[in-house]
Amino acid sequence: VARLCAEKALMGTLEECRQLASRRLVDCLREYRHMHAAQLRASNQLVFPSSLKFAPVMSLSLTKSEMLRGGMRDVDVERRCAALYAMSSLGVEATMRMIY
């Protein structure tokens, strides 16, 4: 998701990128719920597997990172460009450390 947001930030607005991150998380959780609806007892309860447990926190951290935070007065252009480059070139573990 971070790489998709980095690519979208080059072509779109920061608000579109933040919405993309939130939308992808919601779509992922919705698909998980549809796939495992029979295993859930209550219709309003969702039990996350260990691989998705921190996905909402990471998605929120992504939207508040230097790459997507605020506007021109919050983060200067050089720092935003460096964050965009890092997000698009780092591996998964390094990206998670950078976001968190």
Side-chain angles (χ1 to χ4, degrees):
V1 174
R3 287 186 183 175
L4 289 174
C5 288
E7 291 176 10
K8 184 81 170 171
L10 296 174
M11 295 179 284
T13 64
L14 295 176
E15 183 61 33
E16 290 173 351
C17 298
R18 289 188 284 264
Q19 289 176 359
L20 174 70
S22 298
R23 207 171 331 126
R24 290 292 232 162
L25 174 67
V26 170
D27 291 343
C28 179
L29 295 178
R30 184 181 302 134
E31 282 298 317
Y32 177 79
R33 184 180 183 120
H34 287 302
M35 289 173 55
H36 300 287
Q39 297 173 356
L40 299 174
R41 292 186 180 148
S43 63
N44 62 353
Q45 184 180 13
L46 181 62
V47 179
F48 294 120
S50 60
S51 60
L52 289 178
K53 193 172 283 190
F54 295 108
V57 173
M58 296 307 279
S59 178
L60 183 62
S61 296
L62 176 65
T63 60
K64 295 188 179 277
S65 68
E66 285 185 335
M67 182 176 79
L68 299 177
R69 182 179 6 162
M72 293 296 286
R73 59 194 134 115
D74 292 333
V75 179
D76 60 347
V77 176
E78 291 84 12
R79 291 181 73 180
R80 191 178 310 273
C81 288
L84 283 167
Y85 176 75
M87 290 285 182
S88 62
S89 63
L90 291 176
V92 175
E93 290 182 18
T95 302
M96 287 178 64
R97 273 186 260 132
M98 183 178 175
I99 290 172
Y100 187 71

